[in-house]
Amino acid sequence: MYSPAEVARRYVETGKSKAALPVGRMLLLGMLAGAFIALAGGSATFAVSYGGRLAGAAVFPAGLAMVLLAGSELFTGNCLLVIPLLERQLTWGRMLRSWGVVYLANVLGAGLVAALTVAAGTFDGVYESVVATAAAKAGLPFLTALLRGVLCNFLVCIAVWMSLAAQSVPGKLAAMYLPIFTFVLCGFEHSVANMFYLPAGILAAGRYGVAAEGLGWASMWTGNLLPVTLGNILGGCLVGVAGVSAKGAASMSILEDIRAFVPGCEQEQRDREAMLRFLAVHEDAFLRTNLTAHMTASAWVLSRDRRRVVMVYHNLYRSWSWTGGHADGGRDLLAVAMREVTEETGLRRLAPVTEGIFSLECLTVDGHEKRGEYVPSHIHMNVTYLLAAEDDALREKPDENSGVAWFTPEEALAASTEPWMVQRVYRKLADRAAAYMKT
């Protein structure tokens, strides 16, 4: 699972990509999202009619599931574009362009489904409920609709946020389900869902000859979509601001951790000073696009019985080594280190043995070819954490390593063919970790 800071960092890039989509593709993906939400709304209509609001709330999350997994563009979720905006990675013009195009596309997609379902006689048995729902929505007081819109999209964006934290399809579905269930159960207002409910009610009233005072195309906008849309923007932006705060807090946290770290040798003292100087002047220190140096995180991982450590045979260095990898914008370096352990070894149940940074070092990396491109020589500003695994099963990651195994500390030192790493890093880690191991 990605930490909140990592989710925010990853959404900066995701948001930039969303805003950069060509208008034609944005329209198509937006229409799909509107259709997905409308189809879920239609299903929820039957669920409510036959099983009550609880049944409707249980069914409606299918809409966001389709949006997230089928790769479409939903206006309410895209309110999170405020994250790259606040990070100065997106302009106001780009964000508003995306919001406007996607909103229009959502109207078209949801409205088309409303027209098709009514024309097909889909609601023949529940048309009175369809009309009553639309009339109730169009008749809401402005402030009520606005506040329900705020609450709704706060939950929708939390659902999107939680799904982004998950790394598997089942995890994403489970993460987004309850927030969406909650907003439907509470009767909050979702602008894109209402792009279906209101036209469907208006069209059904005409088809079946049902009188609906106050329900019309003008009241659809003035009585509902305008205040609900404004509320949705406010609710989504609240989540976005919280996300940026989480990202900033993580950035401050790692700086504080490095400052608080007590060097155990001259190497760590000098490297700590170099790191702090580098971080003070390089905003891109956590990105590998900084070709001079960038932050990385590693782990010295103890086995469940506390007698062995895990090592991987690294394809690049052609040696047995620890696990670790690039921050790639993430400020939560403990989470980065744990993620790299899982990716490189298959170990999932991990926990820190000590609080804070266990070791730090500046490591030189020679120029090399990676995926057909030359990577110039640079420095890894590395922090290391002492972790313990609660599982033992290992697996290789073929694109990075060709072996994963448990070693006693002395076996690990003997297995490595990098003299400098053995003398300056692995020996230090083995000696320091001995207090937490069993003989």
Side-chain angles (χ1 to χ4, degrees):
M1 186 181 79
Y2 294 110
S3 69
E6 285 185 292
V7 172
R9 188 270 305 170
R10 290 166 65 85
Y11 193 85
V12 170
E13 298 304 317
T14 299
K16 287 165 61 179
S17 299
K18 283 176 171 288
L21 287 172
V23 170
R25 188 175 179 194
M26 206 180 286
L27 279 169
L28 176 60
L29 295 176
M31 288 182 68
L32 282 174
F36 293 152
I37 296 298
L39 289 167
S43 299
T45 297
F46 284 99
V48 170
S49 296
Y50 300 135
R53 182 180 283 184
L54 189 67
V59 169
F60 189 80
L64 188 61
M66 289 187 282
V67 168
L68 293 176
L69 299 182
S72 53
E73 292 293 314
L74 183 67
F75 168 75
T76 46
N78 283 8
C79 288
L80 289 175
L81 288 178
V82 72
I83 293 176
L85 176 75
L86 294 175
E87 289 289 297
R88 299 182 182 179
Q89 298 296 308
L90 189 66
T91 64
W92 276 97
R94 280 282 184 178
M95 183 183 74
L96 294 175
R97 166 183 174 269
S98 175
W99 282 1
V101 172
V102 170
Y103 189 90
L104 172 63
N106 288 170
V107 169
L108 294 174
L112 179 61
V113 170
L116 290 174
T117 51
V118 171
T122 304
F123 303 118
D124 283 353
V126 295
Y127 62 85
E128 290 181 344
S129 175
V130 172
V131 176
T133 297
K137 287 179 175 290
L140 289 173
F142 190 96
L143 183 59
T144 299
L146 176 77
L147 294 177
R148 289 184 183 181
V150 172
L151 292 166
C152 171
N153 210 35
F154 182 85
L155 286 168
V156 169
C157 287
I158 286 293
V160 172
W161 183 276
M162 290 167 63
S163 74
L164 292 173
Q167 298 185 42
S168 67
V169 170
K172 290 179 182 295
L173 292 175
M176 54 73 56
Y177 186 85
L178 286 178
I180 303 302
F181 177 92
T182 300
F183 104 66
V184 177
L185 189 62
C186 290
F188 299 148
E189 295 290 315
H190 188 270
S191 58
V192 181
N194 290 352
M195 294 170 190
F196 163 76
Y197 285 123
L198 289 159
I202 294 168
L203 295 172
R207 177 184 174 91
Y208 299 105
V210 178
E213 186 178 353
L215 178 61
W217 297 109
S219 64
M220 177 181 86
W221 288 97
T222 58
N224 187 278
L225 286 179
L226 175 60
V228 169
T229 299
L230 292 174
N232 286 171
I233 292 172
L234 289 173
C237 287
L238 283 173
V239 177
V241 170
V244 172
S245 299
K247 184 171 180 287
S251 180
M252 290 301 296
S253 176
I254 188 59
L255 280 171
E256 292 168 0
D257 286 350
I258 294 173
R259 290 192 186 105
F261 176 74
V262 179
C265 58
E266 185 180 9
Q267 168 263 312
E268 289 183 334
Q269 179 179 341
R270 296 294 182 88
D271 286 353
R272 175 177 169 274
E273 293 169 356
M275 274 187 204
L276 290 173
R277 286 197 301 269
F278 187 78
L279 288 167
V281 297
H282 291 278
E283 292 186 1
D284 60 349
F286 291 83
L287 298 170
R288 68 176 87 187
T289 50
N290 186 317
L291 298 179
T292 302
H294 39 258
M295 297 300 296
T296 59
S298 298
W300 192 249
V301 185
L302 309 184
S303 62
R304 180 165 49 180
D305 62 10
R306 300 292 181 97
R307 298 179 185 277
R308 298 166 295 163
V309 296
V310 73
M311 300 285 277
V312 300
Y313 189 85
H314 204 292
N315 295 337
L316 176 61
Y317 302 121
R318 297 180 181 179
S319 174
W320 288 97
S321 66
W322 58 3
T323 61
H326 295 88
D328 283 335
R331 266 66 169 180
D332 186 346
L333 295 188
L334 173 59
V336 172
M338 296 175 78
R339 182 190 70 213
E340 292 294 325
V341 173
T342 298
E343 290 181 358
E344 295 180 32
T345 70
L347 296 170
R348 293 185 175 276
R349 296 170 59 197
L350 302 162
V353 176
T354 59
E355 185 176 348
I357 296 170
F358 189 62
S359 169
L360 55 75
E361 40 278 315
C362 295
L363 307 172
T364 58
V365 180
D366 292 338
H368 57 276
E369 299 281 345
K370 187 168 185 177
R371 298 185 180 92
E373 293 187 4
Y374 180 75
V375 179
S377 299
H378 57 278
I379 296 173
H380 282 173
M381 301 281 191
N382 189 74
V383 298
T384 305
Y385 297 91
L386 182 64
L387 306 179
E390 295 301 323
D391 49 349
D392 297 313
L394 302 174
R395 60 150 177 76
E396 297 175 3
K397 187 171 186 282
D399 62 328
E400 289 191 15
N401 62 62
S402 51
V404 185
W406 292 106
F407 295 89
T408 66
E410 290 304 319
E411 288 172 343
L413 299 181
S416 176
T417 55
E418 299 174 274
W420 190 90
M421 288 294 292
V422 172
Q423 295 166 11
R424 294 284 186 176
V425 180
Y426 299 152
R427 169 58 66 185
K428 174 184 66 174
L429 294 174
D431 290 346
R432 199 171 288 176
Y436 304 96
M437 300 189 70
K438 296 177 182 178
T439 56

